[in-house]
Amino acid sequence: MIIADTESARRDAELVLDFFSTVLSGDRDISAVRRFLAPDFVDHDSEGDPGRTGVAAKLTALWNARPAAAFRPHQAIAAGGYVAVRSTLEGGERPVPFADTYRVADGRLTEHWHVVGA
């Protein structure tokens, strides 16, 4: 479900949900990270490299540790260049709730924050 205050915000939400389906779940296409994330992307929740390379490494480690894992988005709320997504990480003993916020500019994801267990 997408909730957006403008058509531009809806496009931003669709971009983020496409990122979920391409990179964070079904396809797990790590090579697509460069297509979705801006060159100066910053993951504010990263313990290592906060850029695109760090995101790819973090996701590769997750997929290796939890081969059945996938993020399932439930709701995306978009306004003013930001998209908040409520999702669950599934494929483990029990689903883990997530709340992610992305900043979108020029058709690319530029920043990311998340809360686990939200």
Side-chain angles (χ1 to χ4, degrees):
M1 167 197 283
I2 294 176
I3 300 168
D5 66 346
T6 65
E7 190 55 39
S8 175
R10 176 169 288 285
R11 283 191 302 272
D12 290 347
E14 289 169 350
L15 173 70
V16 170
L17 293 177
D18 191 19
F19 176 70
F20 266 76
S21 68
T22 303
V23 178
L24 300 179
S25 58
D27 294 341
R28 291 189 189 178
D29 183 359
I30 296 297
S31 68
V33 164
R34 299 184 76 73
R35 185 175 80 235
F36 284 98
L37 307 185
D40 59 348
F41 175 85
V42 176
D43 184 350
H44 294 281
D45 300 316
S46 177
E47 295 177 11
D49 176 354
R52 296 188 305 189
T53 302
V55 169
K58 180 170 59 172
L59 291 173
T60 298
L62 173 64
W63 304 148
N64 287 336
R66 296 178 70 174
F71 287 90
R72 184 168 65 94
H74 304 286
Q75 184 178 58
I77 301 171
Y82 289 88
V83 178
V85 179
R86 186 177 56 80
S87 66
T88 51
L89 176 61
E90 299 177 345
E93 289 182 27
R94 61 186 160 134
V96 178
F98 272 76
D100 292 277
T101 300
Y102 295 88
R103 187 170 69 85
V104 179
D106 300 322
R108 309 274 295 275
L109 308 181
T110 60
E111 292 183 88
H112 169 257
W113 302 261
H114 75 253
V115 177
V116 179

